Amino acid sequence: MAEEWVEQMQNQVNTLEKLEKYINVSDDEREAIEALDTRWGISPYFASLMDKDDPDCPIRKQVIPSMKEQVNKYGMENYLVWKENRATEEVRPDCIARQYTDRIAFTVVEICAIYCRHCFRKELVVDQDLQLRFDLDEGLAWIAEHTEIRDVLITGGDPLLLSDDKLEYLITKLREMPHIEMIRIGSRLPIVLPHRITEGLKKAIGGYHKVPVWLNTQCNHPKEITEKTAKAVYELLSCGINVGNQAVLLKGINDDVDTFRELHLKLLRTRIRPYYVFYCEPAPGIDHFRTTVEKGAELIRDAIRGHTTGLAQPMYVLATKIGKIPLMPDYYIIDKNEKEYTLRNYKGETTKIPNIPE
Ligand SMILES: *Cc1c(COP(=O)(O)O)cnc(C)c1O
Ligand code: SF4
């Protein structure tokens, strides 16, 4: 018999008929599903977390196509080619995206357990206009030759959809390269298909080794986290895999103070350390999810910093083709002179510290 996660993938909710078993499909949702030529699908587990009657459900909005995806006032055409520096002089395999000297993103697969409507890799993953060749051995050979790379970020699609054998092969090959110091995996599966965290997977990628594995998942709303996710995260941690979160700031989903704070506190209660919150990138067809640029920094200022446990604070970043640009809430130094700095805290109170000359 197939493993439970494989069955979940085989039964992905990707037709109107299947979707109707989970929710009362709205007219708008029906129209988009019928009209748009787009890849969509939801693991049965994640589909069961949707609100049956409310089309504004934060999970429904992330996974069910919308006619708004046809609007593209601010999105850039050929976004990924630009963003991932694919049209540059350095010759690299399709699976390698490079913005930094010492680390790269290694795309190993283009399928997912859910197809996020806000995905910045939509051209590749969801709309499939961009065809790339993902060859594990080609990528591994490139990394082996580039000894300046010390950190490999395995991404997709969702890399944990590879079989245990393929993952073990990939991780083992990377760990054998003397210049590789750490491996990162970007996967939504601990949230959208926690069944994937099996004993077999733990054996394939976990265990004590001098090259550690860090897994960053994506969770955007507290409603996405269940007991099943909590157990899966514990399993990952128990075999030495560090777990973090990279959320995307999404208009109408997590851009209010209460949801933003609860998301980050619930992540900590689930043993997931918030790492990044991303500004919703200018990829095509996702205008309706985008907030102002400053919004993320404002939310950290108003919902998290000082208001609650410091570990709950992610870094808010704008992901660009020249790397990630952090944007901090700017309330810290309000005045500086030869003698002292005046500092302001989250409540607006001020204090002073001396200015020490160099
Ligand atoms: C995000 C990203 C990284 C990793 O960035 P960190 O800030 O180290 O997490 C590396 N390479 C590419 C191409 C990326 O997009
Ligand atoms: S899981 Fe990741 S790659 Fe897949 S659709 Fe969602 S955001 Fe895109």
Side-chain angles (χ1 to χ4, degrees):
M1 215 183 79
E3 286 185 286
E4 207 183 347
W5 73 271
V6 177
E7 279 181 9
Q8 284 267 328
M9 286 303 289
Q10 286 162 351
N11 295 317
Q12 206 175 36
V13 180
N14 53 10
T15 64
L16 198 49
E17 293 67 42
K18 289 189 198 170
L19 186 62
E20 279 168 335
K21 296 205 174 79
Y22 291 86
I23 57 167
N24 293 314
V25 179
S26 73
D27 292 344
D28 287 352
E29 289 168 334
R30 187 181 307 274
E31 184 191 0
I33 288 169
E34 284 169 351
L36 299 183
D37 176 23
T38 180
R39 177 152 66 169
W40 70 283
I42 318 161
S43 62
Y45 161 80
F46 204 57
S48 73
L49 304 182
M50 294 188 291
D51 189 291
K52 219 169 157 5
D53 296 308
D54 181 11
D56 271 336
C57 163
I59 296 187
R60 273 168 80 152
K61 288 204 284 196
Q62 288 185 63
V63 294
I64 301 180
S66 157
M67 293 305 279
K68 293 181 189 140
E69 291 171 36
Q70 285 194 312
V71 179
N72 194 28
K73 198 165 158 201
Y74 303 101
M76 294 167 55
E77 296 300 333
N78 292 319
Y79 179 71
L80 264 196
V81 171
W82 175 82
K83 158 81 187 300
E84 296 189 336
N85 299 313
R86 293 186 175 279
T88 50
E89 274 164 29
E90 186 184 59
V91 180
R92 291 185 299 263
D94 281 357
C95 57
I96 306 286
R98 184 171 207 181
Q99 291 169 349
Y100 301 103
T101 306
D102 73 336
R103 57 206 190 282
I104 44 111
F106 182 9
T107 310
V108 296
V109 66
E110 55 175 294
I111 55 167
C112 299
I114 66 165
Y115 292 98
C116 309
R117 308 324 300 169
H118 56 270
C119 180
F120 79 86
R121 315 189 119 197
K122 209 164 188 170
E123 296 154 290
L124 173 74
V125 176
V126 179
D127 296 336
Q128 296 173 279
D129 311 331
L130 184 66
Q131 301 280 330
L132 297 175
R133 210 167 78 93
F134 299 133
D135 186 304
L136 285 191
D137 288 309
E138 198 184 7
L140 286 168
W142 186 92
I143 296 166
E145 277 168 25
H146 287 77
T147 53
E148 73 278 16
I149 304 296
R150 38 164 294 285
D151 170 10
V152 174
L153 169 46
I154 301 172
T155 183
D158 204 308
L160 290 191
L161 290 177
L162 291 180
S163 67
D164 292 348
D165 288 349
K166 279 221 171 104
L167 284 166
E168 184 166 354
Y169 173 77
L170 181 61
I171 300 286
T172 306
K173 287 281 175 207
L174 288 171
R175 280 176 158 168
E176 281 168 1
M177 297 179 198
H179 53 290
I180 299 304
E181 295 173 6
M182 58 183 284
I183 298 166
R184 289 194 268 180
I185 298 175
S187 168
R188 266 204 101 162
L189 296 199
I191 303 295
V192 303
L193 187 55
H195 319 60
R196 177 65 186 100
I197 315 307
T198 58
E199 287 305 312
L201 179 81
K202 285 169 64 178
K203 251 187 79 209
I205 67 173
Y208 181 74
H209 196 283
K210 79 176 183 348
V211 179
V213 174
W214 300 74
L215 188 150
N216 278 314
T217 193
Q218 183 196 143
C219 175
N220 303 320
H221 191 280
K223 203 177 158 181
E224 295 171 46
I225 302 176
T226 67
E227 196 61 40
K228 224 170 160 65
T229 284
K231 187 73 202 332
V233 171
Y234 178 79
E235 292 297 325
L236 288 166
L237 293 167
S238 73
C239 71
I241 298 171
N242 306 283
V243 185
N245 189 58
Q246 307 190 143
V248 184
L249 184 59
L250 298 169
K251 190 156 95 185
I253 292 178
N254 59 14
D255 67 338
D256 64 283
V257 167
D258 289 343
T259 306
F260 195 81
R261 182 189 297 127
E262 176 55 13
L263 167 63
H264 289 97
L265 292 181
K266 194 164 179 187
L267 285 166
L268 283 187
R269 296 202 293 277
T270 315
R271 302 179 171 79
I272 302 175
R273 170 70 160 99
Y275 177 42
Y276 280 146
V277 166
F278 288 108
Y279 172 66
C280 185
E281 297 180 36
I286 60 175
D287 285 356
H288 54 299
F289 288 114
R290 212 168 294 121
T291 63
T292 60
V293 166
E294 286 83 2
K295 190 77 190 181
E298 289 166 11
L299 283 165
I300 287 174
R301 179 193 66 199
D302 299 339
I304 299 191
R305 184 78 259 169
H307 300 277
T308 189
T309 307
L311 278 169
Q313 183 180 308
M315 190 180 292
Y316 176 52
V317 290
L318 315 174
T320 75
K321 69 171 301 188
I322 54 168
K324 295 176 181 74
I325 315 288
L327 195 63
M328 308 287 277
D330 58 352
Y331 54 67
Y332 304 109
I333 299 177
I334 55 168
D335 195 29
K336 172 190 170 181
N337 58 34
E338 263 169 34
K339 240 180 79 211
E340 61 194 8
Y341 286 86
T342 306
L343 308 173
R344 185 164 61 201
N345 76 356
Y346 71 104
K347 287 183 190 163
E349 297 162 346
T350 60
T351 187
K352 292 180 192 298
I353 59 161
N355 184 358
I356 310 295
E358 261 189 77

